[in-house]
Amino acid sequence: MIPPVQRGALWSLLEDVRLRDLARSGEKLANIAKYLNRSTGSVRIRAARLNIALAKSGRLSACPGWLELTEDRTSFVFMPERAKIVRKVFELSIAGLGGYTIAKQLNTKGVPTFGRSAKWDQSTIHNMLRNRATIGEHQLKRYRNGEEFPEGDPIPNYYPAVIEEALFKAAQEARRENLASGRGRKGRLITNLFSGLLTCAHCGGLVKFHSNGNAKSLICSTVLEGRGCYRMAWSYQNFEESFFELVVKLDELGKAVDLHERKALTELKGLVGWLSGPEVYEARLGIAIALKAFVSKFEIASAGPNPASSEPYARIRRDGPRRYFEITFRGGAAHTGYAAGN
Ligand SMILES: [Zn+2]
């Protein structure tokens, strides 16, 4: 279906030329709007889109909570402390935490909110995680019958960005995974500790958490998209156990040479030990966050070394006997782990 033409959004070439001239002459935004018979908002957006600088007379009315307006309300102020909080929220989401838990964490730590409300709540977190203004984009909106509609294409670099696009994308991916695995507000166990961290040793693709009834597996995204690679999955439960086994083994062997790596392993081993206690959720949360902080590379070879090629539409099999993974902690060398129970 072709969307109806939004008349208000269409600018003629002639108008663009006049806008450019008026802006160059230093005319105020309000006057330009009057001359062109446009709203000030429309003029501002069009100017931003065409990269035309307007005289510092246009008043901005609002901005995302993590930014502030200058005193004369003509531009945005980047707030480093708030940007850090936004980044933290995205990182926690990627680590597998839901909006409810993230809000709770911020409140527990006494992190000040951006607005008037005293506490963080999950809707604020959800809105932030979806908001492309975090990467600097602005989407003009229209309201009809109380509903919100996007108007025109989004404008890049409208706001100072507080996070980079890769982080934004990773968070969307993690949210999709969490929703697909049915973990809602009540989900107390983090389904995939490795969300956004694992890549395929065979093709370099992202390895995703895939749930098919009770069968929860890690599968290369290239395989899931039917674009090739080896049609072999690794059962999630078995992978987790294999990973814990390696962590304990490396720590006991004193394999870590680098100080950071030793710290990472000691912390992870402690958390793994904690899993057998009553606070499983806190332990899993800690592991997810620690992995995000300590791991620089994490590859998984579900089909083992030098696998034979498989038919492009063959059924995806699970747990090949020669499967292994390779993990590198920041500052350390790669370590190879094998399937638990083999
Ligand atoms: Zn692959």
Side-chain angles (χ1 to χ4, degrees):
M1 199 187 88
I2 301 165
V5 174
Q6 297 160 358
R7 293 205 62 85
L10 287 175
W11 279 68
S12 70
L13 204 60
L14 198 64
E15 278 179 302
D16 285 347
V17 173
R18 288 206 65 200
L19 168 59
R20 219 179 281 278
D21 285 347
L22 289 163
R24 198 175 295 136
S25 70
E27 196 62 71
K28 286 182 176 176
L29 174 66
N31 291 339
I32 300 178
K34 208 155 51 183
Y35 293 143
L36 295 175
N37 196 20
R38 291 271 183 184
S39 72
T40 49
S42 172
V43 169
R44 187 198 306 285
I45 302 282
R46 189 63 187 165
R49 214 183 278 287
L50 298 175
N51 232 340
I52 298 173
L54 292 173
K56 299 261 177 205
S57 59
R59 294 277 188 274
L60 294 160
S61 58
C63 72
W66 52 87
L67 300 173
E68 271 193 354
L69 294 171
T70 49
E71 207 155 315
D72 61 1
R73 304 181 75 86
T74 55
S75 55
F76 303 105
V77 184
F78 179 81
M79 317 274 285
E81 285 310 309
R82 290 188 178 180
K84 257 188 233 166
I85 296 169
V86 175
R87 173 172 297 276
K88 189 80 205 160
V89 167
F90 273 81
E91 285 174 354
L92 290 173
S93 173
I94 292 166
L97 271 65
Y100 175 80
T101 318
I102 295 175
K104 216 172 105 182
Q105 276 223 335
L106 295 179
N107 289 329
T108 311
K109 289 194 176 151
V111 175
T113 63
F114 298 159
R116 273 183 224 111
S117 78
K119 297 242 167 213
W120 292 92
D121 65 56
Q122 60 172 339
S123 65
T124 313
I125 303 294
H126 285 305
N127 290 337
M128 183 191 291
L129 288 169
R130 270 200 308 259
N131 195 343
R132 297 183 64 86
T134 52
I135 53 172
E137 237 178 66
H138 180 62
Q139 175 68 61
L140 187 61
K141 287 176 194 128
R142 216 160 30 100
Y143 298 88
R144 195 195 286 150
N145 302 329
E147 271 196 83
E148 201 180 275
F149 299 91
E151 180 155 295
D153 297 329
I155 306 152
N157 309 317
Y158 183 85
Y159 300 110
V162 285
I163 57 161
E164 60 278 3
E165 198 164 351
L167 191 66
F168 186 86
K169 279 189 178 158
Q172 310 310 310
E173 181 62 39
R175 281 161 62 78
R176 263 196 298 277
E177 279 191 2
N178 283 335
L179 289 175
S181 62
R183 193 180 63 73
R185 176 207 289 254
K186 278 201 238 109
R188 280 288 172 265
L189 294 174
I190 297 153
T191 337
N192 179 10
L193 296 177
F194 313 100
S195 183
L197 280 179
L198 296 169
T199 52
C200 173
H202 307 300
C203 75
L206 197 68
V207 173
K208 295 189 180 179
F209 180 86
H210 186 78
S211 174
N212 184 4
N214 278 331
K216 305 197 186 325
S217 318
L218 294 166
I219 307 180
C220 168
S221 53
T222 311
V223 170
L224 286 172
E225 289 157 15
R227 293 189 290 109
C229 199
Y230 299 98
R231 299 183 71 77
M232 187 67 84
W234 194 323
S235 308
Y236 180 78
Q237 201 56 41
N238 180 263
F239 182 78
E240 237 190 56
E241 282 163 24
S242 313
F243 170 67
F244 295 159
E245 244 183 47
L246 179 73
V247 166
V248 173
K249 195 180 93 189
L250 287 177
D251 190 60
E252 277 164 6
L253 287 175
K255 279 256 187 181
V257 183
D258 177 84
L259 191 70
H260 289 102
E261 198 183 12
R262 191 180 300 274
K263 190 175 156 240
L265 280 167
T266 306
E267 180 167 339
L268 277 169
K269 195 195 159 198
L271 289 162
V272 170
W274 201 10
L275 280 173
S276 48
E279 289 169 318
V280 181
Y281 174 71
E282 281 72 14
R284 291 184 68 83
L285 175 58
I287 293 172
I289 295 172
L291 284 174
K292 194 83 195 85
F294 295 135
V295 172
S296 65
K297 196 174 179 196
F298 203 165
E299 283 190 338
I300 155 168
S302 299
N306 311 314
S309 62
S310 54
E311 290 296 316
Y313 298 105
R315 206 177 132 242
I316 300 172
R317 287 176 300 140
R318 300 211 303 170
D319 299 339
R322 299 167 70 215
R323 63 194 186 280
Y324 69 92
F325 61 91
E326 231 171 49
I327 185 167
T328 311
F329 295 98
R330 287 187 216 285
H335 301 286
T336 307
Y338 301 91
N342 271 18

